[in-house]
Amino acid sequence: MAAETAPAPVRLADADVEARLARIDDLLETLESAPGPTVRGAVEAVRLLTEVYGEALARVLEYADAPMRRRMAEDELLEHLLVLHAVHPDPVEVRAARAVERLRPAVRASGGDVEFAAVDGEVARVRVRSGGGCGAGCGGGGADVAGAVREAVLAAAPELADVETVPEQPAGRAAPAFVPLEALARRGPDVLGVREAG
């Protein structure tokens, strides 16, 4: 008699995962606003279960080799969980840049563009250009894009306090090179291509 094979586990599509996460948020909000010891016990059970799952995820990450850790860090659902449990292996700059890159195709499809610039302290800086050449400062599309970027970056890097848009570089103009003041003082005028007459 042939051994029975276990049914394959049911996998969730990304849209199904998002729907379940939204439902969990709704249920937890409802629970937290309800009175009584039973509700407090339920909320504590969820909190403890989340902590245990976070520890399990941290151990999986610890046991995984470098390519597996990279794949985990780049998977949108796992990235969300790794961030939630504060065990994500990538620094904040990498996570913020990846969040911006994920939005870029949709922004470009609408005629705009978005580009990660830098993280400065607790603030991420991005360049946003909406369709029609209007920057993030004009109403409508630019504000929508900037809002979507802000939400995506803060979800990927919740330790950041804010996301700000920075002016776009004019087409055809390279960003000026940054030369520290100390270097100018040490090397003298020829740093700028000006030589003293000899």
Side-chain angles (χ1 to χ4, degrees):
M1 184 175 179
E4 288 184 27
T5 58
V10 176
R11 301 291 304 272
L12 297 174
D14 287 347
D16 295 329
V17 170
E18 287 177 23
R20 281 163 171 75
L21 288 172
R23 179 69 179 140
I24 288 169
D25 282 344
D26 290 344
L27 290 170
L28 286 174
E29 193 174 311
T30 302
L31 265 179
E32 288 172 348
S33 64
T38 303
V39 171
R40 285 194 298 275
V43 170
E44 184 180 3
V46 169
R47 183 183 58 76
L48 293 172
L49 186 61
T50 302
E51 287 177 8
V52 171
Y53 280 159
E55 175 59 22
L57 188 57
R59 291 183 190 192
V60 167
L61 196 64
E62 191 176 282
Y63 300 148
D65 61 12
M68 178 58 73
R69 284 194 301 274
R70 175 67 17 239
R71 287 178 62 195
M72 290 175 69
E74 291 173 357
D75 177 278
E76 236 175 309
L77 174 59
L78 290 176
E79 180 181 44
H80 173 75
L81 292 173
L82 292 167
V83 167
L84 177 70
H85 295 290
V87 294
H88 200 291
D90 288 338
V92 65
E93 294 86 358
V94 171
R95 287 180 278 131
R98 188 163 44 237
V100 171
E101 280 304 309
R102 283 184 178 143
L103 287 176
R104 202 168 199 189
V107 175
R108 283 182 165 174
S110 67
D113 201 4
V114 61
E115 179 184 18
F116 174 74
V119 169
D120 182 13
E122 294 185 348
V123 177
R125 304 200 188 282
V126 295
R127 290 184 188 89
V128 177
R129 180 177 56 81
S130 67
C134 175
C138 20
D144 292 345
V145 171
V149 169
R150 183 178 193 283
E151 187 176 316
V153 168
L154 292 179
E159 59 269 58
L160 292 174
D162 202 4
V163 178
E164 295 178 356
T165 57
V166 295
E168 186 181 0
Q169 289 296 330
R173 260 183 85 189
F178 174 75
V179 180
L181 186 58
E182 300 82 29
L184 292 174
R186 272 197 315 273
R187 295 186 53 197
D190 92 318
V191 169
L192 299 175
V194 178
R195 295 187 182 279
E196 294 177 353

